[in-house]
Amino acid sequence: LRPLDVPHSEEIVTIAAETKGDETGGFQYSFSIDALKDFQARADPFSAVVGVMPRIGGLASGGQAFQFWFAAVSDNFFTGLGVTPGAGKLFTVRSGSPVHVVIGHTFWMKTFGGDPDVIGRAVRIDGVPAIVTGVVSQSFRGPFMGVELDGYITLDDLGVITPDVNRWLYHNRKARTLQFFGRMKPGVRVSEAQAAMDVLMTTLETEHPESDRAIGAIVL
């Protein structure tokens, strides 16, 4: 239950989707990629809003294959949270092919024995060529309680690994697959962030009634 081991962790919040009028307590939690872009451009209380889409697959290297619990994340994931590299570099833009992958520290130690030469190594994720560009710091285990992620790719690069997502995920406000985390600007209170999100969600409901009707956001 400790906060994320990132600078000024008291500024980090979850932004969870909810269905207005739902009395069952069933948060939907997740948002679409287009909603992420709206939040990044228009959610004034936040210096950064990042999106995370957990996945499970396989990573192959040196003739061996390993289960790979990874996440497709927004380009600003590491910079927004303030995550530093343990080795190599952490991506900030899409890469294309080969896909750039950042691996978790434990996965690095377990799979590659902490070998620094893993940086720049060619691997395959679900059979698709990729290259290891960096390792996260030892203290960062990912944003999900109880689970340490093995690696990270960008959301754009997910379309390279899994071409089917190009059909249903991108530019589809009804494809709500991302969990959002926000970094509040210094001095902003949660109540202030919530009030601003209430206004923004009402605006988005008006702009996109076919997909965003009765969708709210809770800052936690």
Side-chain angles (χ1 to χ4, degrees), residues 10-15 43-47 182-198 218-220:
E10 72 280 359
E11 298 173 351
I12 303 297
V13 295
T14 295
I15 306 173
D44 291 336
F46 300 98
S47 60
R183 178 178 288 279
M184 296 187 297
K185 294 177 181 177
V188 173
R189 298 192 298 267
V190 171
S191 58
E192 295 171 329
Q194 182 65 67
M197 291 306 302
D198 290 343
I218 299 180
V219 180
L220 301 170

Side-chain angles (χ1 to χ4, degrees), residues 6-198:
V6 296
H8 301 289
S9 59
E10 72 280 359
E11 298 173 351
I12 303 297
V13 295
T14 295
I15 306 173
E18 67 162 350
T19 303
K20 297 176 183 177
D22 181 1
E23 302 299 333
T24 66
F27 284 171
Q28 292 185 1
Y29 285 111
S30 302
F31 291 96
S32 67
I33 289 180
D34 280 355
L36 175 64
K37 296 175 181 177
D38 288 329
F39 283 25
Q40 289 174 335
R42 302 161 71 176
D44 291 336
F46 300 98
S47 60
V49 177
V50 305
V52 186
M53 181 178 174
R55 308 283 290 177
I56 189 166
L59 182 145
S61 174
Q64 293 182 289
F66 309 91
Q67 181 173 285
F68 193 56
W69 173 244
F70 67 105
V73 300
S74 54
D75 298 352
N76 68 334
F77 177 78
F78 295 121
T79 56
L81 294 182
V83 179
T84 56
K89 297 180 179 181
L90 309 182
F91 54 69
T92 57
V93 295
R94 64 177 300 179
S95 59
S97 184
V99 168
H100 288 182
V101 57
V102 171
I103 59 176
H105 194 276
T106 296
F107 187 80
W108 179 43
M109 298 299 295
K110 178 179 65 176
T111 306
F112 299 104
D115 182 2
D117 289 337
V118 73
I119 305 301
R121 182 173 301 183
V123 298
R124 300 183 79 86
I125 301 176
D126 291 346
V128 175
I131 186 169
V132 178
T133 63
V135 180
V136 298
S137 58
Q138 184 175 1
S139 61
F140 185 72
R141 307 175 70 85
F144 302 117
M145 185 177 67
V147 176
E148 181 173 3
L149 291 174
D150 296 327
Y152 309 81
I153 64 171
T154 68
L155 282 164
D156 287 317
D157 285 349
L158 180 62
V160 179
I161 291 177
T162 310
D164 183 59
V165 304
N166 293 293
R167 176 180 58 81
W168 62 265
L169 179 62
Y170 304 122
H171 310 297
N172 178 7
R173 299 188 71 90
K174 293 183 179 180
R176 300 185 181 95
T177 60
L178 273 66
Q179 292 180 257
F180 287 180
F181 299 90
R183 178 178 288 279
M184 296 187 297
K185 294 177 181 177
V188 173
R189 298 192 298 267
V190 171
S191 58
E192 295 171 329
Q194 182 65 67
M197 291 306 302
D198 290 343

